[in-house]
Amino acid sequence: MNASVLVTVEELQRTLGGDQPPLIFDCRASRGDESLPARRYLPGSLILDLERDLSAPPGEGGRHPLPSHDAFTATLQAMGVTPERSIVVYDDNGGQLAAARAWWMIARWAGHPAVRVLDGGMTAWTLAAGELVETAAEPGGRSQWCPAFDDQALIPVGALLERGGQLVDARALSRFRGVEEPLDPVAGHIPGATCRPCSDNLDGNGHFKSPQRLAEELPRAEAVTAYCGSGVTACHNILAYAVAGLPLPRLYVGSWSEWIRDPARPVATGD
């Protein structure tokens, strides 16, 4: 396991009682009629919401475009984030729902040096009989950290096909092939892409596969670009490359939901 990007339940439990415990962000995405106040949390968890904190409003840039530099800086400052304090992010689906997006935004894009994803997420914590609390925590105070954002980690839609290399689609194979499309009005994929469902990064227990196994399975090319439906699960594939110790793909954050907004852009179906 690459200790720089993943943390086990046991490792996290040991740090919670220390002098400088990590900031812990609950990144679980709300589903249907599920109510956030009804949830239970890891001790000290702050809520980092996909729609409110990790995305700008949907529009021309897709369903989950990135917030502006200023907006995300304000979010991080309000949460008390500083480079000196480590961060752990988690969700309830092995990082696929929003924890990997939070990791990518804080670590890769904003440049925080110590962000890790809880391997196995909420499920692993619960199975290990980790302590849970009834309410999320409140931020302990504002910080003054001003991240140096690295927009080279991104690739805009206009440069996507010009870049060359390999496009890697994190959606399920049925969506990639155009057999079904539950979220967007057009089915299919960007021509030339290969499908690597982000769920394939995990084993049967919801933990990341070994670095060796991931290195064998992940698509390799001189230049790799990750995308999905709206730039969320693509970050899970980027995280898998990090676990494997491989060069990180760039992120096409607008992904399929932006690509199809222009009917002149080509659409492929099948394999």
Side-chain angles (χ1 to χ4, degrees):
M1 178 183 298
N2 187 333
S4 67
V5 292
L6 296 179
V7 61
T8 67
V9 168
E10 295 73 21
E11 289 171 332
L12 181 56
Q13 287 174 324
R14 288 196 297 269
T15 65
L16 290 182
D19 294 334
Q20 185 73 342
L23 281 174
I24 301 177
F25 289 127
D26 183 313
C27 304
R28 288 176 288 177
S30 182
R31 297 170 176 168
D33 59 358
E34 185 178 13
S35 173
L36 284 175
R39 292 181 172 182
R40 302 179 75 194
Y41 303 86
L42 274 63
S45 294
L46 302 170
I47 295 176
L48 201 58
D49 184 75
L50 173 62
E51 308 293 341
R52 181 192 66 212
D53 304 315
L54 302 177
S55 306
E60 290 298 323
R63 285 187 279 110
H64 290 110
L66 289 176
S68 68
H69 292 179
D70 287 347
F72 195 52
T73 295
T75 294
L76 295 175
Q77 290 179 345
M79 296 287 183
V81 173
T82 66
E84 293 75 28
R85 188 172 181 185
S86 64
I87 293 172
V88 171
V89 296
Y90 72 92
D91 61 30
D92 53 3
N93 202 25
Q96 296 177 83
L97 293 181
R101 167 87 167 220
W103 165 81
W104 184 90
M105 289 177 64
I106 303 170
R108 180 68 186 90
W109 189 42
H112 192 285
V115 186
R116 294 193 286 175
V117 177
L118 179 60
D119 193 26
M122 190 70 167
T123 300
W125 182 269
T126 304
L127 288 173
E131 179 186 358
L132 295 171
V133 297
E134 298 293 335
T135 57
E138 295 292 333
R142 296 186 62 86
S143 78
Q144 299 300 314
W145 183 42
C146 293
F149 289 93
D150 181 9
D151 288 332
Q152 291 302 307
L154 297 158
I155 187 161
V157 64
L160 192 62
L161 295 183
E162 298 173 4
R163 185 189 185 210
Q166 182 62 63
L167 284 167
V168 178
D169 190 322
R171 297 174 300 161
L173 187 58
S174 60
R175 293 180 67 192
F176 177 85
R177 288 174 169 166
V179 174
E180 62 173 351
E181 181 44 67
L183 299 174
D184 292 306
V186 178
H189 61 268
I190 300 172
T194 189
C195 186
R196 168 66 183 190
C198 66
S199 57
D200 286 354
N201 299 324
L202 306 177
D203 63 21
N205 296 316
H207 293 268
F208 272 86
K209 295 175 180 176
S210 71
Q212 295 77 15
R213 179 78 178 276
L214 290 170
E216 293 170 357
E217 294 181 357
L218 291 166
R220 307 281 281 275
E222 183 175 343
V224 177
T225 300
Y227 83 97
C228 56
S230 64
V232 177
T233 58
C235 295
H236 198 269
N237 274 354
I238 298 175
L239 177 60
Y241 279 83
V243 174
L246 298 174
L248 300 189
R250 288 170 73 178
L251 174 65
Y252 171 35
V253 69
S255 287
W256 186 245
S257 60
E258 178 187 34
W259 181 261
I260 60 173
R261 292 185 71 88
D262 182 351
R265 294 184 187 126
V267 169
T269 57
D271 293 330

